[in-house]
Amino acid sequence: MRTSALVEPGPPLTREQVQRYSRHLLLGQLGEAGQRRLLAARVLVMGAGGLGSPVLQYLAAAGVGHVTIVDDDVVDPSNLQRQVIHSTADVGRPKVDSAAAHVRALNPDVEVTTHHLRLDAANARELLAGHDLVIDGTDNFPTRYLVNDVCAELGIPLVWGSILRFDAQVSVFWSRGEPAVTLRDLFPTPPPEGTTPSCGQAGVLGAMCGQVGSIMAAEAVKLITGTGDPLLGRVLVLDVLGARWSELPVRPRPGRHDLPRTVEALGYDPSPGADGPAAPDGGTSAGALPAITARDLARRLSERERGTDDFVLLDVRETPERGIVTIPGAVSVPLAEVLADPDGVVHRLDLGHPGGVARELVVHCRSGQRSAQAVRALTDAGARAVNVEGGVLAWVTDVDPTLPSY
């Protein structure tokens, strides 16, 4: 359904702007008035990663006058496969700084504000308020739901995208739109703990980020200028392997206003580096578990080689992850198998000891979140199990920096 333009036109275009945006001016549906609306618009982009990269580049190229970038992460080599706004020289640099430099170089008309911080319930309203539009390209459920709920409260339209492996979804949510739909009408609550992997676990096709981010940027331009029919009440679903786009309807869900609406109520923490939607290492769900550090593990592995320690090191990651990097001496049982039959896994690992004391299970994954789930299940099955805090990421950082990370 067609909507009115979000933004009033700004000042007349200069000669230089007429030349820069001439291909927009040739579009009758957009024209000079539409370009002036873009130059007067204030858009906040959540995340300067896989989706934020193409979104920011096309917003800048389109001449969106003020862009705010929010991201608490720094550029990592594993980002460069899909986060095309960053370069090799940016590794270790805050993503907001790298992205802002690229935007400013692309278009000096664009004013950029950066926030190198984590969005949370304490700062979300202040950060989002005053913007005409929010674009969410984040990769964790706490932030997605927090952004959605604050946008719904403030009446700000939200362009939303989600990607994983070879699949993606894109939509527009707006509590004051027609229809008045939000993320909670599509997915009322976040998925149960451990049921949805992250890109760090499952992978993502880099080029797909460009496809999805471009659609998101186009939706932003349409909303700002009142051009065409936005994705309100519709979800575009992309299957890259099948080269197919499909569309699903979204309608207001009865009772959605009774759902929990804060990070605290959801029991989530949008901390960076978490493997999925559950709390990260040291968070609510894993805080009571016995744990050791990566350095402790390295020491104990040396002692095991000398015969002064005895334990089983269990890697609960998926096989493709082990192809990237492994901790020496680990045996592999993916988390799904552990959770499906923890008693069988305990029996298979033969944890008996000649002295009559069962050997300990030391469990690791990529960051410590999945291994925490495994430790709980194995402990319930009667095993002595301990979690490796930070997992492989901590091993690479603290023990063997020559190994690749992901």
Side-chain angles (χ1 to χ4, degrees):
M1 177 175 293
R2 192 176 299 274
T3 62
S4 300
L6 285 176
V7 181
E8 290 299 314
L13 303 180
T14 65
R15 177 182 178 277
E16 291 76 17
Q17 289 171 334
V18 168
Q19 183 173 2
R20 175 182 281 269
Y21 306 116
S22 60
R23 299 306 187 269
H24 274 176
L25 304 184
L26 294 171
L27 299 173
Q29 300 93 327
L30 197 154
E32 181 186 6
Q35 188 61 55
R36 290 165 58 193
R37 294 181 196 275
L38 289 170
L39 286 163
R42 298 178 60 86
V43 176
L44 183 143
V45 179
M46 285 298 311
L51 292 177
S53 289
V55 165
L56 287 165
Q57 291 180 86
Y58 276 109
L59 292 182
V64 170
H66 189 115
V67 174
T68 299
I69 310 171
V70 181
D71 197 308
D72 68 338
D73 203 1
V74 298
V75 180
D76 182 85
S78 66
N79 301 147
L80 302 179
Q81 163 259 6
R82 64 201 178 281
Q83 300 181 17
V84 295
I85 204 166
H86 312 295
S87 70
T88 302
D90 294 315
V91 170
R93 188 181 186 187
K95 289 183 181 179
V96 293
D97 293 344
S98 171
H102 187 98
V103 167
R104 293 183 180 114
L106 180 60
N107 190 347
D109 283 343
V110 181
E111 181 183 351
V112 185
T113 299
T114 60
H115 297 284
H116 184 217
L117 51 76
R118 183 186 309 168
L119 194 80
D120 58 29
N123 62 26
R125 290 170 182 82
E126 181 180 357
L127 287 174
L128 270 59
H131 292 89
D132 301 300
L133 180 74
V134 173
I135 302 180
D136 183 11
T138 57
D139 61 358
N140 67 81
F141 293 109
T143 303
R144 290 177 188 173
Y145 278 82
L146 179 60
V147 170
N148 170 80
D149 292 344
V150 173
C151 282
E153 176 186 323
L154 298 177
I156 302 173
L158 172 65
V159 179
W160 171 88
S162 176
I163 54 174
L164 187 67
R165 296 190 178 103
F166 301 98
D167 302 292
Q169 302 170 47
V170 188
S171 191
V172 172
F173 303 120
W174 193 3
S175 60
R176 298 177 188 174
E178 182 56 47
V181 292
T182 76
L183 175 61
R184 292 183 180 276
D185 293 302
L186 181 62
F187 302 115
T189 58
E193 177 181 338
T195 60
T196 304
S198 68
C199 292
Q201 284 179 238
V204 61
L205 181 67
M208 181 176 65
C209 299
Q211 293 175 269
V212 177
S214 297
I215 292 288
M216 295 169 73
E219 288 299 301
V221 169
K222 288 161 57 181
L223 287 162
I224 291 166
T225 62
T227 304
D229 298 325
L231 280 171
L232 270 172
R234 298 181 290 149
V235 181
L236 281 184
V237 180
L238 172 61
D239 169 13
V240 167
L241 289 183
R244 294 183 182 90
W245 284 99
S246 55
E247 184 178 303
L248 299 173
V250 183
R251 295 290 179 265
R253 182 185 296 266
R256 76 163 183 230
H257 299 292
D258 298 328
L259 294 166
R261 293 193 169 269
T262 65
V263 171
E264 292 84 356
L266 290 169
Y268 283 142
D269 176 12
S271 299
D275 265 351
D281 304 319
T284 303
S285 61
L289 293 175
I292 63 172
T293 67
R295 289 191 177 96
D296 291 334
L297 174 60
R299 174 183 52 78
R300 292 191 61 181
L301 284 170
S302 296
E303 292 171 352
R304 190 175 72 171
E305 288 184 5
R306 296 194 299 267
T308 57
D309 198 350
D310 190 20
F311 62 93
V312 175
L313 178 60
L314 176 62
D315 182 348
V316 296
R317 297 175 300 153
E318 298 296 320
T319 299
E321 295 178 85
R322 289 177 55 81
I324 299 174
V325 59
T326 59
I327 297 178
V331 297
S332 173
V333 181
L335 177 63
E337 294 183 34
V338 174
L339 297 182
D341 185 15
D343 294 286
V345 170
V346 169
H347 177 74
R348 192 195 327 170
L349 294 177
D350 188 20
L351 301 177
H353 190 280
V357 178
R359 287 185 294 172
E360 187 176 47
L361 265 175
V362 178
V363 190
H364 84 83
C365 63
R366 175 177 178 263
S367 71
Q369 188 265 320
R370 281 175 286 169
S371 53
Q373 297 178 56
V375 166
R376 284 193 291 271
L378 293 165
T379 300
D380 291 343
R384 289 196 304 130
V386 61
N387 188 33
V388 179
E389 294 178 339
V392 166
L393 295 179
W395 181 270
V396 172
T397 299
D398 298 336
V399 178
D400 190 353
T402 65
L403 293 175
S405 185
Y406 68 103

